[in-house]
């Protein structure tokens, strides 16, 4: 009985440790994305919850929620090449200095804000 109890406790600690590691990795990814949004001057036109010159991140997340994963590559192209027409008269200024990998990190973070 004692061995079973010890095994159960060890398994519980392992599961909790993995969950903590996953949560820490997620927090680090989110922090990196937030830093990229700041350093790439995205906050000049966007905010988390209010319309400035461009739509808020929450509005973007809500609009594209439930879309196929191809929406990520579409939005990455919008970040890098710019464009307009999807939000009325608002035009997305090209951010050609942003790498595709960095744009993808930022887009995935923005899309994750739907449930927050």
């Amino acid at each position: 009985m004692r061995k079973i109890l010890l095994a159960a406790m060890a398994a519980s600690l392992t599961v909790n440790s993995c969950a903590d590691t996953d949560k820490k990795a997620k927090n680090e990814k989110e922090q990196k994305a937030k830093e990229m949004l700041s350093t790439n001057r995205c906050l000049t036109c966007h905010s988390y919850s209010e319309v400035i010159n461009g739509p808020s991140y929450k509005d973007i997340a809500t609009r594209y929620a439930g879309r196929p994963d191809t929406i990520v590559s579409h939005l990455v192209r919008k970040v890098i090449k710019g464009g307009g027409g999807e939000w009325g008269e608002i035009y997305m200024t090209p951010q050609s200095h942003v790498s595709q990998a960095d744009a993808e990190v930022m887009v995935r973070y923005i899309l994750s804000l739907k449930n927050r």
Side-chain angles (χ1 to χ4, degrees):
M1 182 68 163
R2 186 179 212 171
K3 288 182 181 179
I4 293 172
L5 181 58
L6 289 174
M9 288 173 61
S12 174
L13 289 173
T14 300
V15 168
N16 287 338
S17 176
C18 289
D20 289 344
T21 301
D22 289 346
K23 188 174 182 177
K24 183 178 178 182
K26 182 180 177 185
N27 288 341
E28 288 173 357
K29 268 181 134 173
E30 286 184 2
Q31 187 59 38
K32 181 179 178 184
K34 288 177 184 179
E35 288 171 10
M36 287 179 181
L37 291 170
S38 178
T39 59
N40 287 299
R41 300 180 312 274
C42 302
L43 296 170
T44 302
C45 296
H46 301 277
S47 84
Y48 288 90
S49 59
E50 296 177 27
V51 174
I52 300 178
N53 292 332
S56 73
Y57 297 144
K58 294 283 279 184
D59 289 344
I60 294 167
T62 299
R63 175 174 280 186
Y64 296 111
R67 299 270 180 101
D69 203 41
T70 55
I71 197 63
V72 173
S73 57
H74 170 74
L75 294 174
V76 165
R77 278 192 306 278
K78 283 284 188 185
V79 168
I80 296 170
K81 295 184 178 187
E86 294 189 39
W87 296 90
E89 296 296 317
I90 300 171
Y91 180 79
M92 173 73 185
T93 305
Q95 304 298 313
S96 57
H97 64 281
V98 176
S99 72
Q100 184 161 345
D102 287 354
E104 185 170 334
V105 168
M106 293 184 287
V107 165
R108 288 190 182 281
Y109 169 70
I110 291 166
L111 294 176
S112 77
L113 297 174
K114 165 70 171 91
N115 300 318
R116 297 182 194 187

